[in-house]
Structure formats: C-alpha cells, structure tokens
Amino acid sequence: MQHVPALLSYLQVLADERGHNGLFVLTGSEQFRLSDAISQSLAGRTALLRLLPLSLTERRSIGAGGAIDDIIYSGFYPRILDQGLDPRQALGDYVETYVERDVRRLGEIRNLSSFRRFVRLCAGRVGQLVNLSSLSSDAGVSHTTVREWLTVLEASYIVFQLQPYHANIRKRLVKSPKLYFYDVGLASYLIGIENAQQVTTHPLRGALFENMVVVEALKHRFNRGRESNLSFFRDSRGLECDLFYETGHGIHAIEIKSGATIASDYFTSLNRIAELIPNISAKTVIYGGTTRQSRTNGKALPAAILSAALERFECNQEVTEAE
C-alpha cells in the first residue's frame, strides 16, 4: 500500500460514490507515509486497526510450542511459526532488511553502526525505565538523536513505551516510561540468545517474560479495535506493579513473575499498592507455571490465560477454572 499512495485518491472517489463501509481492506507495514496519506485522502472514511504479531492463543492454535523458554526465543511472527523457520536466521534477516534498511531509510539515519548498537542496547533494556542519558552515552550519540531514533522504532512497531500511572496521591510517582519490544523473539535475538535452552539461565529471562506478558495485554486491546489502557506503577521508594489494566470496573493490578512456582511474597507489592489506590478491583500474578491458583490476596494465573482473564475483568466476572 505504501508503494502506491496515488491509489488512495482513487479509493476516495469509489467510497464516496458507493456510500458503503468495509469496501476495501488496505495493509501496509510503513506507518510513516501511509498514515499521513490516509489522513489527507481518506479522512473520515477509514478505521485503522493495528495488527501485532500473533497472540499466545493464536500461537498455540497453529501448533507452536508452548514452553515459556521456547516462546521467548522464537517469538510471535506468523511466518516463523507457520513455516517452522529457524528463529535466529529469520530474525537476523528481518533486522537486516527491515530494521536496518527500511527503518533507517525512513528515519534518515546515516550512522548505521551507531543505530545498530542503539537497537541492541534497547533490547538489553526491556522492562526498564527509559533513560535517555544512559542510551545516549552507550550508543555514542546525542540525547536528541536517541529521542528521534526511539520515535522511529515506535512508529515502525519495533518498540513501544509503557507509560507510568498517574494518580492524585501523596506518593511521588516516576514519570519515565518503560521500554518494551512488540515481539519478544526479536528482543531475544538482539541480545544474542541463540537457542531456547539459553533462555533458561539468561539474566534477562525475567525481563523478557515480562515483555511477553505486557505485549499480550496490548494485543488483547488492539485485536478488539480498542486503544491501549495499560500503564505501570512505581513510586520513588521502588514500590512497583508491573501492569495496570484500567476499565470502567476499576484497575486490574498485575504482577509478572517468570518463575514456575508461586512464592508467598508475590502479592506483597500488590497488597501495598491496593492500599494506596482504592479503585484497584482485582489483583493477579501472571507467572511462568501452568496451573491456576486462587490465593487469599488474589489469583495466580499462567500467561496462557491472561487474555481470558482480561476479558472476564472487562465484563466484571470471575475467571473460571475452565479457562
């Protein structure tokens, strides 16, 4: 679509003449010029949907492995899973062709070696607060350049920044967003993970698992044609909740733990935060195990049923054992 922008003017005439919705479905991977062209030619005549890589449910439906370390390693890009491609080879080709060529061209990035280093530095910081000074120093470029490159990666759906929760409470809350990749497999590739077994002992396994869960919640929203309602909580003393999912029923506070067993202290932060924010109406730990558990302080659920849990929360219902 982005290669034939003149088509939009032609479609505008047809849409106006026929007066019906849903006549055409347009796809395109380049958000920069395409979005601008649509806003100019088809303003008021379009519905924009953001299609991220496969969800956990979709991944499972095509027979892809469900082990956590395998998911973190191989990610969610449909072609890799559907065709059984080697994730390292396929993601390496993707980085060379799209990230380093198309994204660099669209962002008018001239210093390829610094940009390549910057992208890998971002992957090593998944789940962390965005620190422009640190990224600037390590990448060897200015603050302004780091900010511009982050914007380019966001616009091309490589990374996104999860915004902090803001509330009228006396606690001082952090203002910096947290950095995540839209595909955890791509992040794993960029930090040098070469097989699923390596994930097991990797120091960033917990951060990568967190990345996977946060993006799964984002896919739950986008796949239903909704905007993001996600944020995270952290105050100046380090009290933190990984994910807030807000609806008209309140806030679903979600703590993310990659361990396969539930520890007694997993709900400690959730309980303290619930005392500060009265509209928290559900507390859940999403963990790396396979069974659902109900505790006095909340629920512990495997990542595979996160979407079902969010669906139930939106309907103000309990998550059932059948899920």
Side-chain angles (χ1 to χ4, degrees), residues 56-280:
L56 280 166
T57 301
E58 291 168 332
R59 193 184 194 279
R60 189 167 59 248
S61 70
I62 63 173
I68 294 299
D69 292 346
D70 182 60
I71 294 172
I72 290 174
Y73 168 62
S74 57
F76 295 85
Y77 284 125
R79 189 166 178 266
I80 293 176
L81 302 173
D82 181 56
Q83 299 184 17
L85 302 179
D86 174 20
R88 184 165 179 81
Q89 179 65 49
L91 290 167
D93 293 341
Y94 176 71
V95 168
E96 275 195 39
T97 57
Y98 184 62
V99 178
E100 292 185 356
R101 186 194 66 189
D102 293 346
V103 172
R104 184 168 62 95
R105 173 176 53 82
L106 290 167
E108 298 182 350
I109 297 165
R110 296 176 178 83
N111 190 333
L112 177 58
S113 61
S114 293
F115 181 67
R116 184 181 292 147
R117 187 184 314 117
F118 169 75
V119 175
R120 294 183 184 277
L121 286 169
C122 287
R125 286 165 167 77
V126 292
Q128 297 182 20
L129 297 178
V130 175
N131 187 323
L132 297 180
S133 296
S134 175
L135 279 170
S136 170
S137 175
D138 291 348
V141 296
S142 68
H143 285 211
T144 301
T145 298
V146 164
R147 197 184 303 275
E148 291 173 351
W149 286 357
L150 274 177
T151 299
V152 169
L153 292 180
E154 282 192 284
S156 53
Y157 285 83
I158 303 297
V159 305
F160 72 95
Q161 299 182 59
L162 181 67
Q163 298 301 316
Y165 176 78
H166 293 294
N168 187 22
I169 58 177
R170 294 181 180 178
K171 288 279 185 179
R172 182 182 176 185
L173 305 181
V174 300
K175 297 180 180 180
S176 299
K178 291 171 72 173
L179 185 65
Y180 295 99
F181 273 64
Y182 278 105
D183 185 71
V184 68
L186 178 59
S188 296
Y189 166 79
L190 289 168
I191 62 174
I193 291 177
E194 298 186 347
N195 54 64
Q197 292 71 34
Q198 188 180 348
V199 175
T200 306
T201 57
H202 200 282
L204 290 182
R205 183 181 187 273
L208 292 168
F209 180 79
E210 178 183 322
N211 193 135
M212 181 190 77
V213 173
V214 171
V215 178
E216 184 70 8
L218 192 61
K219 292 171 186 174
H220 179 83
R221 296 293 296 181
F222 286 175
N223 290 349
R224 288 156 180 77
R226 302 169 186 167
E227 295 295 318
S228 173
N229 63 348
L230 310 179
S231 61
F232 73 95
F233 178 97
R234 182 184 289 183
D235 67 17
S236 58
R237 296 184 177 180
L239 181 61
E240 180 177 11
C241 178
D242 296 318
L243 188 63
F244 273 8
Y245 189 94
E246 298 184 61
T247 73
H249 303 301
I251 297 174
H252 192 163
I254 300 171
E255 187 73 3
I256 303 170
K257 301 291 186 181
S258 63
T261 58
I262 302 298
S264 58
D265 62 348
Y266 278 5
F267 288 92
T268 301
S269 293
L270 289 176
N271 294 333
R272 292 173 59 192
I273 292 170
E275 294 174 355
L276 294 173
I277 303 176
N279 54 332
I280 290 179

Side-chain angles (χ1 to χ4, degrees), residues 226 247 249 309-318:
R226 302 169 186 167
T247 73
H249 303 301
L310 296 177
E311 192 76 39
R312 288 279 181 173
F313 179 73
E314 290 171 339
C315 298
N316 201 22
Q317 299 175 350
E318 290 290 322

